[in-house]
Amino acid sequence: GFTKGNDEAAFKRRRSVELKHGRVCMAACMGYITPQYYKFPGFLSPSLGVKFSDVPNGLAAFSKVPALGWVQIIFFAGIVEGSFGFNDYKSGIPGEYGWKVLTSSDPTEKTKKLKAELANGRLAMMAIIGMFFQDGLTGS
């Protein structure tokens, strides 16, 4: 397979990237589903008069976000990417940032939760691609 002949560092980097993509896709799935049921009150862009309620669901929303909004999103993502986990696979366990809120002190429970996160991330990667495909094909 594609991992043949690679070392432990390469595996850790791939696992780190897989976890990161899974986490982004889990957030993307929530962001894709939530506007079906709830939209923030008020304005997305007061200067342009764009309300949150004016933004359609799905892929059509990309065209409604102002250019400076995209700049803010990309800037924020860059700060997060540069601040957390850029080289986490080199210094320790991939995806481990020392936050004990969602993990556990018990090694067995921690392993179970991390495996669940990996599986849920893989499912979310397939789910968001499916939602994009369905929206692009049918427009809904």
Side-chain angles (χ1 to χ4, degrees):
F2 70 92
T3 59
K4 186 175 182 178
N6 288 319
D7 57 356
E8 184 179 356
F11 173 78
K12 283 186 173 183
R13 183 178 183 306
R14 286 190 180 101
R15 179 55 50 96
S16 176
V17 170
E18 182 182 19
L19 283 167
K20 196 175 292 185
H21 286 153
R23 290 171 179 170
V24 168
C25 288
M26 285 187 269
C29 286
M30 291 303 301
Y32 212 84
I33 295 168
T34 301
Q36 298 287 338
Y37 303 102
Y38 176 80
K39 291 193 181 192
F40 289 111
F43 287 89
L44 172 65
S45 175
S47 60
L48 297 176
V50 179
K51 294 182 178 182
F52 285 106
S53 59
D54 297 336
V55 178
N57 296 337
L59 296 175
F62 284 116
S63 65
K64 299 296 182 185
V65 177
L68 284 177
W70 286 113
V71 170
Q72 290 174 350
I73 291 168
I74 292 167
F75 182 72
F76 177 74
I79 288 176
V80 170
E81 180 71 20
S83 300
F84 299 105
F86 190 69
N87 288 323
D88 64 335
Y89 65 93
K90 291 180 181 176
S91 60
I93 301 168
E96 180 66 51
Y97 303 120
W99 301 338
K100 297 295 180 195
V101 177
L102 299 177
T103 61
S104 175
S105 308
D106 178 32
T108 306
E109 185 68 20
K110 182 177 179 180
T111 301
K112 178 183 170 190
K113 287 183 176 186
L114 291 175
K115 285 182 179 181
E117 180 188 19
L118 192 60
N120 289 338
R122 289 172 178 165
L123 177 62
M125 286 186 253
M126 294 295 110
I128 195 66
I129 290 298
M131 285 188 263
F132 285 159
F133 185 77
Q134 179 257 336
D135 190 17
L137 190 64
T138 66
S140 63

